[in-house]
């Protein structure tokens, strides 16, 4: 069986732009998409748009059907639970393993990330804060230098962004709480307390999951 042809430059551009619009929430779940309108918006033919949409469907970002057309897919309850269970298994294990083993450069990167998170929170720059949130989780996993874990976190990166965006939309008090949890995790890792770091990471991810699955509970706070 021959290998599929690599995507053309236009196909890659269409895919990257469509994925960005979905991940950032500019095309929220439930949005109906039109190949013709997207072709006009992106200034290209429908062919690269069609190829990009098929790729996004295979990755779970859109659904394409003869009945409904093309619709941006939201994360189901099962998707959210699966996402958090995978991250808890990986990230709690990572911080337990990395506690007390960071190089001076790695510790400095984590602490600088926390400084930048604080500044973004104080400036109410939630877009910047979400980016730094994702970066902190990725940094911790990348320090272990396990290629499979790094690959998994890279694959999850856009889903992580969608989850953080959804948590923030559900509960506007969550960013400040999440930041304080990040501080605790980083301090435990740097202090070499792996068990505490793992417990804090698990509690941090569980808190985010609860806010998505039980939004009414937190909207009355």
């Amino acid at each position: 069986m021959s290998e599929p042809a690599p995507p053309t430059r236009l196909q890659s551009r269409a895919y990257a732009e469509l994925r960005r619009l979905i991940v950032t929430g500019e095309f929220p779940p439930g949005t109906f998409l039109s190949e013709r309108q997207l072709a006009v918006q992106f200034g290209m033919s429908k062919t690269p748009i069609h190829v990009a949409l098929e790729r996004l469907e295979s990755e779970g970002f859109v659904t394409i059907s003869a009945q409904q057309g093309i619709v941006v897919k939201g994360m189901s309850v099962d998707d959210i639970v699966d996402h958090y269970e995978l991250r808890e298994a990986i990230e709690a294990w990572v911080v337990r393993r990395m506690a007390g083993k960071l190089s001076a450069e790695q510790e400095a990167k984590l602490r600088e990330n926390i400084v930048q998170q604080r500044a973004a929170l104080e400036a109410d720059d939630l877009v910047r804060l979400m980016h730094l949130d994702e970066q902190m989780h990725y940094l911790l996993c990348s320090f272990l230098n396990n290629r499979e874990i790094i690959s998994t976190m890279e694959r999850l990166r856009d889903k992580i962004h969608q989850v953080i965006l959804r948590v923030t939309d559900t509960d506007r008090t969550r960013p400040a709480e999440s930041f304080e949890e990040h501080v605790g995790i980083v301090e435990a890792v740097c202090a070499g307390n792996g068990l505490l770091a793992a417990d804090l990471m698990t509690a941090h991810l569980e808190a985010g999951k609860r806010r998505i699955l039980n939004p009414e509970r937190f909207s009355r706070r």
Side-chain angles (χ1 to χ4, degrees):
M1 183 181 295
S2 60
E3 292 291 326
T8 65
R9 182 177 60 82
L10 282 178
Q11 289 169 0
S12 295
R13 183 163 73 83
Y15 167 79
E17 181 62 10
L18 275 168
R19 184 163 175 155
R20 182 190 68 79
L21 290 167
I22 292 170
V23 169
T24 59
E26 293 179 60
F27 284 171
T31 301
F32 287 88
L33 302 178
S34 160
E35 287 187 6
R36 180 180 59 80
Q37 291 176 353
L38 289 170
V40 172
Q41 180 178 342
F42 294 174
M44 59 180 70
S45 71
K46 290 198 296 183
T47 299
I49 299 294
H50 180 79
V51 172
L53 286 167
E54 286 187 330
R55 183 176 172 187
L56 288 166
E57 182 184 34
S58 72
E59 296 175 352
F61 287 98
V62 302
T63 57
I64 302 174
S65 70
Q67 292 76 28
Q68 288 189 307
I70 307 162
V71 185
V72 176
K73 184 180 177 182
M75 295 181 74
S76 68
V77 169
D78 286 343
D79 291 336
I80 292 165
V81 171
D82 289 349
H83 170 91
Y84 273 106
E85 285 181 351
L86 177 58
R87 288 185 62 194
E88 285 177 25
I90 291 174
E91 296 190 53
W93 185 81
V94 164
V95 294
R96 188 167 63 248
R97 286 290 304 273
M98 289 305 300
K101 299 177 182 177
L102 298 179
S103 67
E105 181 182 3
Q106 290 169 337
E107 184 173 331
K109 285 182 178 180
L110 279 177
R111 293 193 181 281
E112 176 58 24
N113 175 278
I114 291 296
V115 169
Q116 291 184 36
Q117 282 192 52
R118 187 186 301 277
L121 183 64
E122 291 174 351
D124 199 29
D125 187 346
L126 295 183
V127 173
R128 174 67 174 158
L129 186 60
M130 283 191 286
H131 170 73
L132 291 164
D133 184 331
E134 298 161 32
Q135 184 187 69
M136 189 209 78
H137 285 274
Y138 181 79
L139 278 174
L140 283 165
C141 290
S142 69
F143 291 159
L144 190 62
N145 203 28
N146 181 304
R147 287 176 294 179
E148 291 298 325
I149 289 177
I150 291 171
S151 175
T152 299
M153 291 300 291
E154 288 175 345
R155 178 171 57 83
L156 286 173
R157 181 170 283 179
D158 285 344
K159 293 292 185 182
I160 291 171
H161 184 95
Q162 286 182 303
V163 165
I164 294 172
L165 184 64
R166 188 160 169 180
V167 171
T168 302
D169 285 342
T170 300
D171 182 3
R172 290 293 178 173
T173 68
R174 179 60 188 153
E177 293 178 0
S178 182
F179 166 71
E180 294 300 333
E181 291 162 11
H182 288 165
V183 172
I185 291 166
V186 169
E187 289 299 330
V189 171
C190 292
N193 194 333
L195 291 177
L196 176 60
D199 286 346
L200 290 174
M201 179 63 79
T202 299
H204 170 64
L205 294 171
E206 282 289 326
K209 179 172 68 175
R210 287 196 304 272
R211 278 164 172 77
I212 294 179
L213 299 182
N214 303 293
E216 297 83 4
R217 174 185 170 191
F218 297 97
S219 64
R220 295 192 295 269
R221 291 174 53 181

